[in-house]
Amino acid sequence: MKSKHDSGETSLSSREGKSVLFTKMHGLGNKYVFFNLLNNPLDNHDLSELARSVSDVNYGIGSDGMILICPSDKADFRMRIFNADGSEGKNCGNGLRCTAKYLYDNGYSESSQFTIETLGEIVEVEVELETNHKSTVRSVKVDMGEPKLQKADLPMEGDPFSSTINEPVIIENQEFHMTCLSMGNPHAILFVDDVKKFPLERWGPKIEHATLFPERVNVGIVHVLNEQEIDYRVWERGSGLTMACGTGACAAVVAAALNNRLKRELPITVHLPGGDLTILWDANNHVWKSGPAEYICHGELAIETCQTLFSR
């Protein structure tokens, strides 16, 4: 389907192989550089290196990572996400909302409901439109699927078929009580008295790289405010401190319910540094996430120069 932007302003194009067009978007301050590959492949580039270079604030655009919007033979569309360190992620809640908004706003989907394939799974999204402007997306609702609780799902050392709920774990002589699960991405959740005072900058990378997690892990800290509100901060695997993490917000709500700190089947407002998300763990064991997605800018990247400068 042809984009509404006939000028190609937000579609990938190449000029003698030297420049490509990009869109930068954010979900609650969790920012990504998007390349539209639906009609134009990005050939002959190391994608991990490209992600590192475009994410760099000095030599690139500056972001928490890179997202490629691609065709899919399993779903309506496909999303590939690369973290700022070049590693490829399985899923990204904020990235999914941005991708859904981009696809609908630019006319690639005429339906407000469609599916997006990720490395982790296929997810269903529903765009919610502005009341007085039916062609503009106000927020996006995403079915994030079922939480996966076994150690093998993360993965995590230990009995692969066991779960980790409020389990004491020693990291560099410090004991933490962790609840670990996967929402397409692996998360280790800690409950704290104050998310602002907890030294996440210190312990986030130590837990992320602990031998307990062979493929590393996202680290989230949670303070339950009341039966329908929590505070949440995150150290993201491969990106560090970010303003928001959609899969992490889902994991936080599931972990709180598993520890009897919240009730199932109630919409929970998750307060993140970048803003609020609404999370619901429903009776069918699916986790739903609703929240905004916004454009930051469109531009043209001198891709070869960017990579050359970053590699110096």
Side-chain angles (χ1 to χ4, degrees), residues 25-29 93-102 124-130 136-144 244-247 249-250 268-270 272 274-280 287-294:
M25 302 180 72
H26 78 89
L28 302 183
N94 290 310
L96 277 168
R97 295 201 316 281
C98 290
T99 299
K101 176 178 173 63
Y102 178 97
E124 179 182 337
V125 300
E126 180 180 355
V127 298
E128 300 171 340
L129 305 177
E130 293 285 0
T136 302
V137 175
R138 174 175 55 85
S139 64
V140 181
K141 182 178 180 181
V142 182
D143 179 0
M144 300 298 293
C245 176
T247 60
C250 295
I268 307 300
T269 299
V270 181
L272 305 103
D276 294 346
L277 290 173
T278 300
I279 309 296
L280 173 66
V287 181
W288 293 84
K289 175 180 63 65
S290 299
E294 302 290 344

mmCIF file of all heavy atoms in Angstrom, residues 25-29 93-102 124-130 136-144 244-247 249-250 268-270 272 274-280 287-294:
data_model
loop_
_atom_site.group_PDB
_atom_site.id
_atom_site.type_symbol
_atom_site.label_atom_id
_atom_site.label_comp_id
_atom_site.label_asym_id
_atom_site.label_seq_id
_atom_site.Cartn_x
_atom_site.Cartn_y
_atom_site.Cartn_z
ATOM 1 N N MET A 25 11.426 8.472 16.622
ATOM 2 C CA MET A 25 10.202 8.489 17.409
ATOM 3 C C MET A 25 10.526 8.113 18.850
ATOM 4 O O MET A 25 11.613 7.587 19.142
ATOM 5 C CB MET A 25 9.175 7.493 16.838
ATOM 6 C CG MET A 25 8.797 7.738 15.397
ATOM 7 S SD MET A 25 7.572 6.535 14.772
ATOM 8 C CE MET A 25 6.087 7.076 15.639
ATOM 9 N N HIS A 26 9.564 8.385 19.733
ATOM 10 C CA HIS A 26 9.746 7.974 21.120
ATOM 11 C C HIS A 26 8.425 7.513 21.707
ATOM 12 O O HIS A 26 7.340 7.968 21.327
ATOM 13 C CB HIS A 26 10.338 9.099 21.971
ATOM 14 C CG HIS A 26 9.355 10.163 22.375
ATOM 15 N ND1 HIS A 26 8.612 10.084 23.537
ATOM 16 C CD2 HIS A 26 8.982 11.324 21.769
ATOM 17 C CE1 HIS A 26 7.827 11.151 23.635
ATOM 18 N NE2 HIS A 26 8.027 11.918 22.573
ATOM 19 N N GLY A 27 8.526 6.592 22.632
ATOM 20 C CA GLY A 27 7.414 6.190 23.473
ATOM 21 C C GLY A 27 7.773 6.519 24.902
ATOM 22 O O GLY A 27 8.647 5.871 25.493
ATOM 23 N N LEU A 28 7.215 7.585 25.447
ATOM 24 C CA LEU A 28 7.522 8.047 26.808
ATOM 25 C C LEU A 28 9.009 8.314 27.003
ATOM 26 O O LEU A 28 9.579 8.038 28.049
ATOM 27 C CB LEU A 28 7.027 7.031 27.841
ATOM 28 C CG LEU A 28 5.540 6.701 27.809
ATOM 29 C CD1 LEU A 28 5.193 5.742 28.932
ATOM 30 C CD2 LEU A 28 4.700 7.959 27.913
ATOM 31 N N GLY A 29 9.653 8.856 25.978
ATOM 32 C CA GLY A 29 11.069 9.201 26.083
ATOM 33 C C GLY A 29 12.011 8.077 25.723
ATOM 34 O O GLY A 29 13.223 8.287 25.649
ATOM 35 N N GLY A 93 8.260 -2.961 23.776
ATOM 36 C CA GLY A 93 6.900 -2.443 23.904
ATOM 37 C C GLY A 93 6.746 -1.030 23.374
ATOM 38 O O GLY A 93 5.782 -0.718 22.664
ATOM 39 N N ASN A 94 7.679 -0.150 23.719
ATOM 40 C CA ASN A 94 7.602 1.220 23.222
ATOM 41 C C ASN A 94 7.837 1.266 21.716
ATOM 42 O O ASN A 94 7.196 2.032 20.996
ATOM 43 C CB ASN A 94 8.619 2.099 23.945
ATOM 44 C CG ASN A 94 8.249 2.328 25.394
ATOM 45 O OD1 ASN A 94 7.129 2.704 25.715
ATOM 46 N ND2 ASN A 94 9.181 2.086 26.307
ATOM 47 N N GLY A 95 8.752 0.435 21.240
ATOM 48 C CA GLY A 95 9.003 0.354 19.810
ATOM 49 C C GLY A 95 7.806 -0.141 19.034
ATOM 50 O O GLY A 95 7.519 0.323 17.919
ATOM 51 N N LEU A 96 7.057 -1.080 19.617
ATOM 52 C CA LEU A 96 5.851 -1.586 18.966
ATOM 53 C C LEU A 96 4.803 -0.486 18.806
ATOM 54 O O LEU A 96 4.154 -0.379 17.754
ATOM 55 C CB LEU A 96 5.266 -2.742 19.781
ATOM 56 C CG LEU A 96 5.870 -4.123 19.553
ATOM 57 C CD1 LEU A 96 5.406 -5.091 20.633
ATOM 58 C CD2 LEU A 96 5.497 -4.658 18.168
ATOM 59 N N ARG A 97 4.620 0.319 19.854
ATOM 60 C CA ARG A 97 3.639 1.399 19.759
ATOM 61 C C ARG A 97 4.043 2.408 18.685
ATOM 62 O O ARG A 97 3.209 2.870 17.899
ATOM 63 C CB ARG A 97 3.460 2.094 21.109
ATOM 64 C CG ARG A 97 2.870 1.209 22.182
ATOM 65 C CD ARG A 97 2.251 2.009 23.317
ATOM 66 N NE ARG A 97 3.053 3.126 23.752
ATOM 67 C CZ ARG A 97 4.119 3.033 24.567
ATOM 68 N NH1 ARG A 97 4.514 1.859 25.000
ATOM 69 N NH2 ARG A 97 4.770 4.115 24.929
ATOM 70 N N CYS A 98 5.327 2.746 18.641
ATOM 71 C CA CYS A 98 5.804 3.684 17.626
ATOM 72 C C CYS A 98 5.649 3.095 16.229
ATOM 73 O O CYS A 98 5.209 3.781 15.297
ATOM 74 C CB CYS A 98 7.272 4.032 17.887
ATOM 75 S SG CYS A 98 7.567 5.036 19.353
ATOM 76 N N THR A 99 5.993 1.827 16.085
ATOM 77 C CA THR A 99 5.865 1.167 14.786
ATOM 78 C C THR A 99 4.415 1.150 14.325
ATOM 79 O O THR A 99 4.109 1.434 13.156
ATOM 80 C CB THR A 99 6.418 -0.263 14.864
ATOM 81 O OG1 THR A 99 7.808 -0.219 15.206
ATOM 82 C CG2 THR A 99 6.257 -0.992 13.532
ATOM 83 N N ALA A 100 3.503 0.833 15.243
ATOM 84 C CA ALA A 100 2.083 0.800 14.898
ATOM 85 C C ALA A 100 1.590 2.179 14.458
ATOM 86 O O ALA A 100 0.847 2.305 13.469
ATOM 87 C CB ALA A 100 1.274 0.299 16.088
ATOM 88 N N LYS A 101 1.975 3.207 15.176
ATOM 89 C CA LYS A 101 1.568 4.576 14.810
ATOM 90 C C LYS A 101 2.123 4.939 13.435
ATOM 91 O O LYS A 101 1.402 5.482 12.586
ATOM 92 C CB LYS A 101 2.061 5.574 15.857
ATOM 93 C CG LYS A 101 1.751 7.046 15.505
ATOM 94 C CD LYS A 101 2.209 7.986 16.603
ATOM 95 C CE LYS A 101 2.073 9.442 16.182
ATOM 96 N NZ LYS A 101 0.663 9.829 15.929
ATOM 97 N N TYR A 102 3.390 4.643 13.208
ATOM 98 C CA TYR A 102 4.021 4.948 11.923
ATOM 99 C C TYR A 102 3.274 4.257 10.782
ATOM 100 O O TYR A 102 2.960 4.875 9.760
ATOM 101 C CB TYR A 102 5.481 4.502 11.951
ATOM 102 C CG TYR A 102 6.218 4.723 10.660
ATOM 103 C CD1 TYR A 102 7.010 5.848 10.470
ATOM 104 C CD2 TYR A 102 6.133 3.806 9.614
ATOM 105 C CE1 TYR A 102 7.683 6.059 9.279
ATOM 106 C CE2 TYR A 102 6.792 4.004 8.418
ATOM 107 C CZ TYR A 102 7.568 5.134 8.256
ATOM 108 O OH TYR A 102 8.225 5.336 7.064
ATOM 109 N N GLU A 124 -0.476 -8.543 18.459
ATOM 110 C CA GLU A 124 -1.611 -7.815 17.896
ATOM 111 C C GLU A 124 -1.619 -6.403 18.462
ATOM 112 O O GLU A 124 -1.438 -6.202 19.667
ATOM 113 C CB GLU A 124 -2.917 -8.517 18.255
ATOM 114 C CG GLU A 124 -4.165 -7.820 17.729
ATOM 115 C CD GLU A 124 -5.447 -8.515 18.148
ATOM 116 O OE1 GLU A 124 -5.389 -9.727 18.452
ATOM 117 O OE2 GLU A 124 -6.503 -7.846 18.177
ATOM 118 N N VAL A 125 -1.810 -5.421 17.580
ATOM 119 C CA VAL A 125 -1.855 -4.030 18.020
ATOM 120 C C VAL A 125 -3.164 -3.400 17.568
ATOM 121 O O VAL A 125 -3.766 -3.815 16.569
ATOM 122 C CB VAL A 125 -0.663 -3.209 17.471
ATOM 123 C CG1 VAL A 125 0.657 -3.800 17.938
ATOM 124 C CG2 VAL A 125 -0.702 -3.142 15.946
ATOM 125 N N GLU A 126 -3.590 -2.405 18.315
ATOM 126 C CA GLU A 126 -4.791 -1.633 17.966
ATOM 127 C C GLU A 126 -4.510 -0.164 18.199
ATOM 128 O O GLU A 126 -4.146 0.235 19.314
ATOM 129 C CB GLU A 126 -5.991 -2.071 18.806
ATOM 130 C CG GLU A 126 -7.258 -1.301 18.494
ATOM 131 C CD GLU A 126 -8.450 -1.743 19.328
ATOM 132 O OE1 GLU A 126 -8.310 -2.721 20.095
ATOM 133 O OE2 GLU A 126 -9.513 -1.105 19.229
ATOM 134 N N VAL A 127 -4.630 0.634 17.151
ATOM 135 C CA VAL A 127 -4.409 2.068 17.294
ATOM 136 C C VAL A 127 -5.706 2.736 17.727
ATOM 137 O O VAL A 127 -6.797 2.373 17.270
ATOM 138 C CB VAL A 127 -3.876 2.696 15.992
ATOM 139 C CG1 VAL A 127 -2.537 2.097 15.615
ATOM 140 C CG2 VAL A 127 -4.869 2.538 14.845
ATOM 141 N N GLU A 128 -5.585 3.687 18.644
ATOM 142 C CA GLU A 128 -6.722 4.459 19.130
ATOM 143 C C GLU A 128 -6.585 5.867 18.571
ATOM 144 O O GLU A 128 -5.550 6.519 18.763
ATOM 145 C CB GLU A 128 -6.739 4.447 20.659
ATOM 146 C CG GLU A 128 -6.866 3.035 21.221
ATOM 147 C CD GLU A 128 -6.660 2.949 22.717
ATOM 148 O OE1 GLU A 128 -6.048 3.874 23.286
ATOM 149 O OE2 GLU A 128 -7.104 1.954 23.317
ATOM 150 N N LEU A 129 -7.619 6.346 17.868
ATOM 151 C CA LEU A 129 -7.521 7.563 17.073
ATOM 152 C C LEU A 129 -7.984 8.786 17.832
ATOM 153 O O LEU A 129 -8.786 8.699 18.771
ATOM 154 C CB LEU A 129 -8.338 7.399 15.787
ATOM 155 C CG LEU A 129 -7.978 6.167 14.943
ATOM 156 C CD1 LEU A 129 -8.899 6.083 13.736
ATOM 157 C CD2 LEU A 129 -6.521 6.199 14.532
ATOM 158 N N GLU A 130 -7.468 9.939 17.407
ATOM 159 C CA GLU A 130 -7.908 11.206 17.971
ATOM 160 C C GLU A 130 -9.407 11.387 17.722
ATOM 161 O O GLU A 130 -9.918 11.061 16.641
ATOM 162 C CB GLU A 130 -7.141 12.368 17.330
ATOM 163 C CG GLU A 130 -5.660 12.416 17.664
ATOM 164 C CD GLU A 130 -5.394 12.912 19.068
ATOM 165 O OE1 GLU A 130 -6.374 13.219 19.794
ATOM 166 O OE2 GLU A 130 -4.216 12.990 19.447
ATOM 167 N N THR A 136 -5.408 10.270 12.697
ATOM 168 C CA THR A 136 -4.228 10.459 13.534
ATOM 169 C C THR A 136 -4.311 9.581 14.772
ATOM 170 O O THR A 136 -5.309 9.574 15.480
ATOM 171 C CB THR A 136 -4.080 11.940 13.952
ATOM 172 O OG1 THR A 136 -3.996 12.744 12.784
ATOM 173 C CG2 THR A 136 -2.831 12.140 14.794
ATOM 174 N N VAL A 137 -3.238 8.874 15.052
ATOM 175 C CA VAL A 137 -3.190 7.950 16.184
ATOM 176 C C VAL A 137 -2.923 8.715 17.476
ATOM 177 O O VAL A 137 -1.950 9.469 17.579
ATOM 178 C CB VAL A 137 -2.105 6.882 15.962
ATOM 179 C CG1 VAL A 137 -1.960 5.995 17.201
ATOM 180 C CG2 VAL A 137 -2.436 6.045 14.740
ATOM 181 N N ARG A 138 -3.794 8.514 18.464
ATOM 182 C CA ARG A 138 -3.623 9.136 19.782
ATOM 183 C C ARG A 138 -2.819 8.251 20.712
ATOM 184 O O ARG A 138 -1.940 8.713 21.432
ATOM 185 C CB ARG A 138 -4.998 9.423 20.393
ATOM 186 C CG ARG A 138 -4.963 9.942 21.829
ATOM 187 C CD ARG A 138 -6.368 10.303 22.289
ATOM 188 N NE ARG A 138 -7.300 9.191 22.141
ATOM 189 C CZ ARG A 138 -7.449 8.229 23.047
ATOM 190 N NH1 ARG A 138 -6.746 8.234 24.157
ATOM 191 N NH2 ARG A 138 -8.333 7.256 22.852
ATOM 192 N N SER A 139 -3.135 6.969 20.728
ATOM 193 C CA SER A 139 -2.401 6.017 21.552
ATOM 194 C C SER A 139 -2.506 4.650 20.896
ATOM 195 O O SER A 139 -3.256 4.450 19.938
ATOM 196 C CB SER A 139 -2.952 5.976 22.983
ATOM 197 O OG SER A 139 -4.294 5.501 22.988
ATOM 198 N N VAL A 140 -1.735 3.706 21.421
ATOM 199 C CA VAL A 140 -1.692 2.367 20.839
ATOM 200 C C VAL A 140 -1.843 1.336 21.947
ATOM 201 O O VAL A 140 -1.205 1.432 23.006
ATOM 202 C CB VAL A 140 -0.371 2.125 20.081
ATOM 203 C CG1 VAL A 140 -0.362 0.729 19.462
ATOM 204 C CG2 VAL A 140 -0.162 3.190 19.006
ATOM 205 N N LYS A 141 -2.705 0.353 21.685
ATOM 206 C CA LYS A 141 -2.919 -0.748 22.609
ATOM 207 C C LYS A 141 -2.289 -1.996 22.012
ATOM 208 O O LYS A 141 -2.508 -2.320 20.845
ATOM 209 C CB LYS A 141 -4.422 -0.955 22.824
ATOM 210 C CG LYS A 141 -4.797 -2.044 23.808
ATOM 211 C CD LYS A 141 -6.318 -2.110 23.948
ATOM 212 C CE LYS A 141 -6.758 -3.176 24.928
ATOM 213 N NZ LYS A 141 -8.246 -3.239 25.033
ATOM 214 N N VAL A 142 -1.501 -2.702 22.834
ATOM 215 C CA VAL A 142 -0.743 -3.851 22.334
ATOM 216 C C VAL A 142 -1.024 -5.067 23.198
ATOM 217 O O VAL A 142 -0.946 -5.003 24.432
ATOM 218 C CB VAL A 142 0.779 -3.566 22.333
ATOM 219 C CG1 VAL A 142 1.540 -4.753 21.752
ATOM 220 C CG2 VAL A 142 1.094 -2.296 21.556
ATOM 221 N N ASP A 143 -1.348 -6.185 22.552
ATOM 222 C CA ASP A 143 -1.431 -7.466 23.247
ATOM 223 C C ASP A 143 -0.022 -8.025 23.338
ATOM 224 O O ASP A 143 0.532 -8.524 22.359
ATOM 225 C CB ASP A 143 -2.341 -8.423 22.478
ATOM 226 C CG ASP A 143 -2.465 -9.792 23.144
ATOM 227 O OD1 ASP A 143 -1.848 -10.006 24.209
ATOM 228 O OD2 ASP A 143 -3.182 -10.650 22.597
ATOM 229 N N MET A 144 0.570 -7.953 24.524
ATOM 230 C CA MET A 144 1.955 -8.384 24.708
ATOM 231 C C MET A 144 2.072 -9.888 24.949
ATOM 232 O O MET A 144 3.172 -10.400 25.160
ATOM 233 C CB MET A 144 2.573 -7.620 25.886
ATOM 234 C CG MET A 144 2.604 -6.111 25.700
ATOM 235 S SD MET A 144 3.612 -5.575 24.294
ATOM 236 C CE MET A 144 5.247 -6.028 24.866
ATOM 237 N N ALA A 244 11.816 4.826 29.571
ATOM 238 C CA ALA A 244 10.661 3.926 29.649
ATOM 239 C C ALA A 244 11.013 2.594 29.016
ATOM 240 O O ALA A 244 11.922 2.499 28.191
ATOM 241 C CB ALA A 244 9.456 4.537 28.931
ATOM 242 N N CYS A 245 10.276 1.570 29.394
ATOM 243 C CA CYS A 245 10.420 0.241 28.802
ATOM 244 C C CYS A 245 9.063 -0.442 28.856
ATOM 245 O O CYS A 245 8.549 -0.722 29.946
ATOM 246 C CB CYS A 245 11.470 -0.579 29.562
ATOM 247 S SG CYS A 245 11.628 -2.283 28.975
ATOM 248 N N GLY A 246 8.474 -0.689 27.694
ATOM 249 C CA GLY A 246 7.129 -1.248 27.644
ATOM 250 C C GLY A 246 7.045 -2.672 28.145
ATOM 251 O O GLY A 246 6.162 -3.014 28.942
ATOM 252 N N THR A 247 7.969 -3.543 27.690
ATOM 253 C CA THR A 247 7.934 -4.921 28.182
ATOM 254 C C THR A 247 8.264 -4.956 29.669
ATOM 255 O O THR A 247 7.741 -5.788 30.411
ATOM 256 C CB THR A 247 8.909 -5.819 27.406
ATOM 257 O OG1 THR A 247 10.258 -5.332 27.549
ATOM 258 C CG2 THR A 247 8.540 -5.891 25.931
ATOM 259 N N ALA A 249 7.472 -2.591 31.897
ATOM 260 C CA ALA A 249 6.275 -2.178 32.632
ATOM 261 C C ALA A 249 5.313 -3.344 32.775
ATOM 262 O O ALA A 249 4.695 -3.540 33.830
ATOM 263 C CB ALA A 249 5.605 -1.007 31.917
ATOM 264 N N CYS A 250 5.188 -4.144 31.717
ATOM 265 C CA CYS A 250 4.343 -5.349 31.786
ATOM 266 C C CYS A 250 4.907 -6.330 32.811
ATOM 267 O O CYS A 250 4.159 -6.891 33.636
ATOM 268 C CB CYS A 250 4.274 -6.010 30.416
ATOM 269 S SG CYS A 250 3.455 -5.027 29.146
ATOM 270 N N ILE A 268 -3.602 -1.175 35.644
ATOM 271 C CA ILE A 268 -2.595 -0.580 36.520
ATOM 272 C C ILE A 268 -1.885 0.556 35.791
ATOM 273 O O ILE A 268 -1.412 0.386 34.660
ATOM 274 C CB ILE A 268 -1.550 -1.630 36.948
ATOM 275 C CG1 ILE A 268 -2.231 -2.867 37.564
ATOM 276 C CG2 ILE A 268 -0.546 -1.019 37.919
ATOM 277 C CD1 ILE A 268 -3.056 -2.601 38.785
ATOM 278 N N THR A 269 -1.824 1.708 36.419
ATOM 279 C CA THR A 269 -1.055 2.825 35.876
ATOM 280 C C THR A 269 0.390 2.680 36.332
ATOM 281 O O THR A 269 0.674 2.645 37.528
ATOM 282 C CB THR A 269 -1.614 4.172 36.349
ATOM 283 O OG1 THR A 269 -2.966 4.298 35.901
ATOM 284 C CG2 THR A 269 -0.788 5.327 35.786
ATOM 285 N N VAL A 270 1.289 2.597 35.367
ATOM 286 C CA VAL A 270 2.718 2.472 35.656
ATOM 287 C C VAL A 270 3.370 3.823 35.383
ATOM 288 O O VAL A 270 3.367 4.307 34.250
ATOM 289 C CB VAL A 270 3.367 1.377 34.798
ATOM 290 C CG1 VAL A 270 4.852 1.239 35.129
ATOM 291 C CG2 VAL A 270 2.655 0.041 35.000
ATOM 292 N N LEU A 272 6.501 5.895 34.808
ATOM 293 C CA LEU A 272 7.893 5.786 34.392
ATOM 294 C C LEU A 272 8.483 7.188 34.293
ATOM 295 O O LEU A 272 7.738 8.177 34.244
ATOM 296 C CB LEU A 272 7.987 5.072 33.042
ATOM 297 C CG LEU A 272 7.321 3.705 32.945
ATOM 298 C CD1 LEU A 272 6.006 3.801 32.199
ATOM 299 C CD2 LEU A 272 8.227 2.708 32.247
ATOM 300 N N GLY A 274 9.515 8.723 31.819
ATOM 301 C CA GLY A 274 9.044 9.401 30.619
ATOM 302 C C GLY A 274 7.554 9.620 30.554
ATOM 303 O O GLY A 274 7.069 10.307 29.648
ATOM 304 N N GLY A 275 6.798 9.059 31.487
ATOM 305 C CA GLY A 275 5.344 9.202 31.448
ATOM 306 C C GLY A 275 4.660 7.936 31.931
ATOM 307 O O GLY A 275 5.292 7.071 32.543
ATOM 308 N N ASP A 276 3.369 7.800 31.637
ATOM 309 C CA ASP A 276 2.569 6.701 32.165
ATOM 310 C C ASP A 276 2.138 5.714 31.085
ATOM 311 O O ASP A 276 1.841 6.109 29.951
ATOM 312 C CB ASP A 276 1.306 7.239 32.842
ATOM 313 C CG ASP A 276 1.603 8.058 34.085
ATOM 314 O OD1 ASP A 276 2.752 8.003 34.573
ATOM 315 O OD2 ASP A 276 0.693 8.765 34.554
ATOM 316 N N LEU A 277 2.087 4.447 31.479
ATOM 317 C CA LEU A 277 1.493 3.391 30.677
ATOM 318 C C LEU A 277 0.374 2.747 31.484
ATOM 319 O O LEU A 277 0.414 2.744 32.714
ATOM 320 C CB LEU A 277 2.523 2.327 30.307
ATOM 321 C CG LEU A 277 3.620 2.704 29.312
ATOM 322 C CD1 LEU A 277 4.646 1.583 29.211
ATOM 323 C CD2 LEU A 277 3.021 3.005 27.945
ATOM 324 N N THR A 278 -0.600 2.175 30.783
ATOM 325 C CA THR A 278 -1.647 1.400 31.442
ATOM 326 C C THR A 278 -1.458 -0.068 31.079
ATOM 327 O O THR A 278 -1.398 -0.419 29.891
ATOM 328 C CB THR A 278 -3.045 1.860 31.001
ATOM 329 O OG1 THR A 278 -3.210 3.240 31.331
ATOM 330 C CG2 THR A 278 -4.126 1.046 31.706
ATOM 331 N N ILE A 279 -1.357 -0.918 32.110
ATOM 332 C CA ILE A 279 -1.100 -2.345 31.921
ATOM 333 C C ILE A 279 -2.233 -3.141 32.543
ATOM 334 O O ILE A 279 -2.653 -2.855 33.666
ATOM 335 C CB ILE A 279 0.237 -2.766 32.567
ATOM 336 C CG1 ILE A 279 1.382 -1.855 32.121
ATOM 337 C CG2 ILE A 279 0.537 -4.235 32.273
ATOM 338 C CD1 ILE A 279 1.712 -1.907 30.654
ATOM 339 N N LEU A 280 -2.725 -4.148 31.809
ATOM 340 C CA LEU A 280 -3.764 -5.027 32.314
ATOM 341 C C LEU A 280 -3.367 -6.474 32.054
ATOM 342 O O LEU A 280 -3.142 -6.868 30.910
ATOM 343 C CB LEU A 280 -5.098 -4.729 31.627
ATOM 344 C CG LEU A 280 -6.248 -5.697 31.940
ATOM 345 C CD1 LEU A 280 -6.657 -5.597 33.406
ATOM 346 C CD2 LEU A 280 -7.441 -5.439 31.027
ATOM 347 N N VAL A 287 -1.256 -10.034 28.664
ATOM 348 C CA VAL A 287 -0.929 -8.725 29.219
ATOM 349 C C VAL A 287 -1.124 -7.670 28.126
ATOM 350 O O VAL A 287 -0.539 -7.770 27.041
ATOM 351 C CB VAL A 287 0.519 -8.693 29.744
ATOM 352 C CG1 VAL A 287 0.831 -7.319 30.339
ATOM 353 C CG2 VAL A 287 0.739 -9.786 30.788
ATOM 354 N N TRP A 288 -1.954 -6.675 28.430
ATOM 355 C CA TRP A 288 -2.253 -5.598 27.487
ATOM 356 C C TRP A 288 -1.583 -4.305 27.946
ATOM 357 O O TRP A 288 -1.599 -3.980 29.126
ATOM 358 C CB TRP A 288 -3.751 -5.384 27.373
ATOM 359 C CG TRP A 288 -4.458 -6.543 26.725
ATOM 360 C CD1 TRP A 288 -4.885 -7.692 27.315
ATOM 361 C CD2 TRP A 288 -4.790 -6.659 25.342
ATOM 362 N NE1 TRP A 288 -5.474 -8.516 26.395
ATOM 363 C CE2 TRP A 288 -5.433 -7.907 25.175
ATOM 364 C CE3 TRP A 288 -4.627 -5.827 24.227
ATOM 365 C CZ2 TRP A 288 -5.893 -8.353 23.931
ATOM 366 C CZ3 TRP A 288 -5.108 -6.262 22.994
ATOM 367 C CH2 TRP A 288 -5.718 -7.504 22.859
ATOM 368 N N LYS A 289 -1.024 -3.590 27.004
ATOM 369 C CA LYS A 289 -0.317 -2.347 27.299
ATOM 370 C C LYS A 289 -0.864 -1.240 26.424
ATOM 371 O O LYS A 289 -0.985 -1.399 25.203
ATOM 372 C CB LYS A 289 1.175 -2.524 27.034
ATOM 373 C CG LYS A 289 2.014 -1.269 27.188
ATOM 374 C CD LYS A 289 3.478 -1.566 26.908
ATOM 375 C CE LYS A 289 3.705 -2.013 25.495
ATOM 376 N NZ LYS A 289 3.393 -0.963 24.486
ATOM 377 N N SER A 290 -1.199 -0.095 27.030
ATOM 378 C CA SER A 290 -1.704 1.055 26.284
ATOM 379 C C SER A 290 -0.874 2.286 26.625
ATOM 380 O O SER A 290 -0.532 2.515 27.790
ATOM 381 C CB SER A 290 -3.176 1.328 26.622
ATOM 382 O OG SER A 290 -3.988 0.225 26.279
ATOM 383 N N GLY A 291 -0.566 3.075 25.584
ATOM 384 C CA GLY A 291 0.187 4.295 25.838
ATOM 385 C C GLY A 291 0.457 5.050 24.547
ATOM 386 O O GLY A 291 0.121 4.591 23.449
ATOM 387 N N PRO A 292 1.074 6.218 24.657
ATOM 388 C CA PRO A 292 1.295 7.079 23.497
ATOM 389 C C PRO A 292 2.555 6.704 22.717
ATOM 390 O O PRO A 292 3.404 5.936 23.182
ATOM 391 C CB PRO A 292 1.450 8.460 24.135
ATOM 392 C CG PRO A 292 2.092 8.162 25.463
ATOM 393 C CD PRO A 292 1.491 6.856 25.918
ATOM 394 N N ALA A 293 2.648 7.268 21.521
ATOM 395 C CA ALA A 293 3.851 7.208 20.696
ATOM 396 C C ALA A 293 3.925 8.516 19.926
ATOM 397 O O ALA A 293 2.896 9.028 19.475
ATOM 398 C CB ALA A 293 3.797 6.018 19.735
ATOM 399 N N GLU A 294 5.119 9.068 19.778
ATOM 400 C CA GLU A 294 5.249 10.399 19.186
ATOM 401 C C GLU A 294 6.414 10.463 18.220
ATOM 402 O O GLU A 294 7.423 9.776 18.385
ATOM 403 C CB GLU A 294 5.472 11.455 20.292
ATOM 404 C CG GLU A 294 4.382 11.515 21.343
ATOM 405 C CD GLU A 294 3.070 12.062 20.834
ATOM 406 O OE1 GLU A 294 3.074 12.691 19.741
ATOM 407 O OE2 GLU A 294 2.036 11.865 21.504
#
